[in-house]
Amino acid sequence: MKKSISILIAGAAALTASQANAATVIDGSCVSVTDSAGCLFSGNINSNTTGGNSFLNAQNAYNLYNDTHPTADPDILLTVLAASDDTNFSSFGSITGGGSSSGTWDLTGFDVDFVAVKASNAFVLYQLSSPASMGSWDTFDIPFKNNPHNISHLVFFGTETVPAVPEPATWAFMIFGFGAIGGAMRRNRKANVKVSYA
């Protein structure tokens, strides 16, 4: 009995700790992610699907906020592409202005729908008015005395637009098709040969 009670207490403590680390919407600093000032969150955000800083925590916090704030409508669905502090980010795109308060981003080959700008102990989530593969960022919507914070990182959400490379079977069918067309044209040429005698 004592063992099960201690397990329950440890589980409750872990749940409380993970919720404390989770991102929360700052009431009064969020109208909607579609607003030009975005939606301000306290906490952190990254490209992970698990853990207290997961982008899914921000998604769930915003959708919960939406339940009591009609201006935040509709619910959002974040599909992570990459974060600028991921070790493989250079294979997705590039940013300028790292370590400062503004810059640009470029994710050619992707349609970015949402961008999270992280600085200090807060981040702002913006929904772009239309999907884009490049744009600018700044930390001006994250309050910090009279000066903007320097960026920590960016997280991008959206879909890949690069056309898929055909599979080997598709290549084989295309080559077979070209061969069949070439063979048919060659047969037609032979059939159209006319012999005339003078």
Side-chain angles (χ1 to χ4, degrees):
M1 178 75 171
K2 281 185 179 182
K3 186 175 181 178
S4 57
I5 290 174
S6 63
I7 290 173
L8 281 173
I9 291 171
L15 180 61
T16 304
S18 69
Q19 287 175 342
N21 292 336
T24 55
V25 175
I26 298 177
D27 201 3
S29 295
C30 178
V31 175
S32 170
V33 291
T34 60
D35 186 66
S36 62
C39 186
L40 183 63
F41 289 75
S42 65
N44 196 356
I45 185 169
N46 60 31
S47 58
N48 297 336
T49 56
T50 58
N53 300 330
S54 168
F55 72 93
L56 294 175
N57 290 331
Q59 173 184 292
N60 295 338
Y62 184 82
N63 292 342
L64 186 62
Y65 180 79
N66 176 30
D67 293 344
T68 56
H69 296 76
T71 58
D73 197 44
D75 281 354
I76 60 172
L77 177 64
L78 300 175
T79 305
V80 73
L81 293 171
S84 62
D85 60 346
D86 289 344
T87 55
N88 65 340
F89 179 71
S90 61
S91 63
F92 288 91
S94 63
I95 67 164
T96 64
S100 69
S101 59
S102 64
T104 61
W105 55 269
D106 184 347
L107 266 72
T108 302
F110 297 91
D111 281 336
V112 177
D113 299 320
F114 295 88
V115 177
V117 179
K118 169 73 171 82
S120 185
N121 60 353
F123 65 92
V124 178
L125 182 64
Y126 301 95
Q127 182 175 9
L128 305 182
S129 56
S130 61
S133 61
M134 59 184 61
S136 59
W137 62 267
D138 63 57
T139 61
F140 299 124
D141 293 318
I142 300 173
F144 178 64
K145 301 177 185 173
N146 294 325
N147 302 309
H149 282 292
N150 288 340
I151 189 174
S152 167
H153 60 273
L154 304 173
V155 186
F156 301 94
F157 306 93
T159 56
E160 187 171 1
T161 59
V162 176
V165 175
E167 293 184 18
T170 304
W171 282 109
F173 276 119
M174 285 181 8
I175 292 169
F176 174 77
F178 289 135
I181 291 169
M185 289 174 64
R186 191 168 181 183
R187 272 193 302 262
N188 272 348
R189 201 175 326 144
K190 286 182 183 178
N192 289 335
V193 174
K194 293 183 180 179
V195 177
S196 60
Y197 298 98

